[in-house]
Amino acid sequence: MRTRPLKVALLGCGVVGSEVARIMTTHADDLAARVGAPVELAGIAVRRPNRVRAGVPAELLTTDATALVKRGDIDVVVEVIGGIEPARSLITTAFEHGASVVSANKALLAADGAALHAAAVEHGVDLYYEAAVAGAIPLIRPLRESLAGDKVNRVLGIVNGTTNFILDKMDTTGAGYSEALDEATALGYAEADPTADVEGFDAAAKAAILAGIAFHTRVTIGDVHREGITEVTAADIASARRMGCTVKLLAICERSADGRSVTARVHPAMIPLTHPLASVREAYNAVFVEAAAAGQLMFYGPGAGGSPTASAVLGDLVATCRNKLAGTTGPGESAYAQLTVSPMGDVVTRYHISLDVADKPGVLAQVATVFAEHQVSIDTVRQQGRNPGGGDGAAVEQGAGGRREGGEASLVVVTHRAPDAALAATVEALRKLDTVRGVASIMRVEGE
């Protein structure tokens, strides 16, 4: 074993960073055995050095992150501070001074991954980021290496634990969105400001990274269609249950049928209870991969948290240290395919649309006509009348020509597969009908 240690600089010492520091310190001998040389934590950049951090050597703390990565003797920089700046500048500075980088920064990689990869290649160093997507679940490396000889056609996954916890509670306990969010916050699954999670920004960044790797095409977060879960209601959950489905926030990356383009999107969707992703509960993550030769693969496990994310960081750290010893680098960006990233309007799927309508003769016929005019085929229609006192009447399954009289009604239409643009035009036309009081919800149906 080489006696000179490989030196590591750690940027950030929060939930993940402190766990990385703890494991590096307490498992130093194991890491050395796996790498083939001692691995030494040489410095930790923090914003508040006086904060108590159990198990973290105080003498390693510094507030000058730039000086730390510029030292010249640093072999690997581990970046877990998040955000765009100063993370981007610190990473590029590390490259310039000969250090490889291990990052968990999904936002930066989704926004500027191509430039970072180019900088790493220019300086002959590594950029690894397994921890940026799905925490401890090995996903980036299987896509980038194990499936490198295969053709991935689709990646479908639950990549945000907070939203999965909320939707799971709404489904299993009957809780409303706000109530489920409060529980997620109390248990530490949701941040004080949950916007990045519940509005889909976190999942969209991960979708961009996954699509880029799976399809060998540059995909940024700006290419990803994004919808959150804040508009999902108890009625949506109940409708999904009646269809034998559950509701999940899904990240979906697909190759087109002709193989010339890809799409990437994040939105809530109904999936059949028979689909493997339907059984993913609480704050767990799971990603379903469909490849031409390998077939269907599923990766499952904890997608966030200090220890799981640190596990992924340390796996990358071992890989980059081994490369340093061997005088080589691992696989970089693979964007040879240069496929077109298509807009959301080109996506073809099924839809579940809930309408508030006047319960009188001819309403269903009018609605069916609008769908037909926009070439969106109806699979089923479900109408539920409302009593004058506010209670709901009995629900009935019926064709597009049926009707119930007596005030107002809720009309649920489930379509066959159709382009998203056609569905959007259909909904816009429905809103203009005098008999349609409002479009209560629109949700896609996936995984069939």
Side-chain angles (χ1 to χ4, degrees):
M1 179 181 293
R2 192 180 82 164
T3 56
R4 185 183 78 77
L6 291 157
K7 294 190 176 183
V8 178
L10 177 60
L11 307 182
C13 199
V15 173
V16 176
S18 59
E19 189 66 9
V20 170
R22 183 191 68 79
I23 296 174
M24 287 189 65
T25 303
T26 59
H27 294 74
D29 291 343
D30 284 345
L31 285 175
R34 293 167 192 167
V35 170
V39 180
E40 176 186 308
L41 187 55
I44 306 172
V46 296
R47 286 184 296 178
R48 296 181 292 275
N50 296 325
R51 181 179 175 184
V52 177
R53 297 173 173 86
V56 177
E59 65 273 14
L60 295 181
L61 301 180
T62 177
T63 57
D64 195 342
T66 302
L68 178 60
V69 299
K70 281 184 173 181
R71 274 179 36 172
D73 64 338
I74 299 297
D75 294 289
V76 182
V77 170
V78 174
E79 182 272 309
V80 289
I81 57 178
I84 304 299
E85 288 291 354
R88 175 167 46 197
S89 296
L90 291 169
I91 289 174
T92 54
T93 300
F95 290 155
E96 291 165 0
H97 287 78
S100 292
V101 171
V102 172
S103 177
N105 196 331
K106 54 188 170 287
L108 177 57
L109 289 160
D112 210 18
L116 293 176
H117 275 290
V121 171
E122 178 185 354
H123 296 286
V125 293
D126 277 324
L127 173 62
Y128 276 58
Y129 43 91
E130 184 68 64
V133 179
I137 304 172
L139 185 58
I140 299 297
R141 192 170 284 111
L143 283 173
R144 190 163 62 175
E145 298 177 27
S146 303
L147 295 174
D150 206 341
K151 179 182 178 183
V152 176
N153 291 315
R154 195 170 196 234
V155 179
L156 174 74
I158 298 165
V159 295
N160 183 272
T162 300
T163 52
N164 199 57
F165 179 89
I166 292 170
L167 292 172
D168 182 46
K169 289 302 174 184
M170 292 176 69
D171 185 32
T172 57
T173 70
Y177 168 78
S178 297
E179 184 182 352
L181 173 59
D182 288 344
E183 185 176 354
T185 304
L187 292 172
Y189 293 129
E191 301 287 345
D193 179 1
T195 302
D197 292 323
V198 300
E199 293 292 357
F201 290 101
D202 174 85
K206 295 171 181 176
I209 295 170
L210 289 174
I213 295 171
F215 305 132
H216 307 284
T217 292
R218 287 177 180 168
V219 180
T220 70
I221 192 168
D223 297 318
V224 181
H225 174 84
R226 175 193 55 79
E227 298 173 27
I229 67 167
T230 55
E231 301 300 320
V232 177
T233 65
D236 294 325
I237 301 293
S239 288
R241 193 178 298 116
R242 282 192 290 267
M243 291 175 57
C245 295
T246 189
V247 177
K248 299 290 185 182
L249 181 73
L250 298 179
I252 306 172
C253 312
E254 293 179 300
R255 188 190 301 266
S256 64
D258 62 11
R260 297 177 181 176
S261 64
V262 298
T263 56
R265 50 196 166 105
V266 168
H267 53 71
M270 297 179 180
I271 59 172
L273 293 175
T274 54
H275 194 283
L277 291 178
S279 61
V280 178
R281 306 290 299 279
E282 299 284 332
Y284 277 79
N285 284 192
V287 177
F288 203 72
V289 177
E290 300 175 12
Q296 297 179 332
L297 308 170
M298 183 162 153
F299 302 84
Y300 170 84
S307 294
T309 306
S311 172
V313 168
L314 289 162
D316 280 350
L317 178 61
V318 169
T320 54
C321 286
R322 286 173 175 170
N323 290 343
K324 282 283 182 179
L325 289 180
T328 186
T329 58
E333 182 190 30
S334 176
Y336 72 86
Q338 298 180 343
L339 301 176
T340 301
V341 182
S342 297
M344 185 63 187
D346 290 350
V347 170
V348 177
T349 188
R350 296 181 68 206
Y351 304 87
H352 175 283
I353 305 102
S354 180
L355 306 171
D356 292 330
V357 300
D359 193 2
K360 63 181 185 180
V363 172
L364 288 176
Q366 289 181 8
V367 168
T369 298
V370 170
F371 277 88
E373 288 173 346
H374 292 86
Q375 299 184 357
V376 178
S377 175
I378 293 176
D379 182 15
T380 62
V381 177
R382 184 176 188 276
Q383 183 178 2
Q384 182 164 298
R386 294 174 183 164
N387 296 329
D392 287 340
V396 293
E397 295 287 347
Q398 55 190 356
R403 53 170 284 263
R404 291 185 77 244
E405 296 187 62
E408 297 181 353
S410 175
L411 190 65
V412 174
V413 178
V414 179
T415 74
H416 291 291
R417 288 170 57 83
D420 196 86
L423 190 280
T426 302
V427 170
E428 186 63 26
L430 289 171
R431 294 183 194 276
K432 296 177 181 179
L433 292 179
D434 292 338
T435 52
V436 175
R437 309 287 171 79
V439 179
S441 73
I442 305 168
M443 193 169 294
R444 297 166 185 89
V445 183
E446 301 284 351
E448 295 178 309

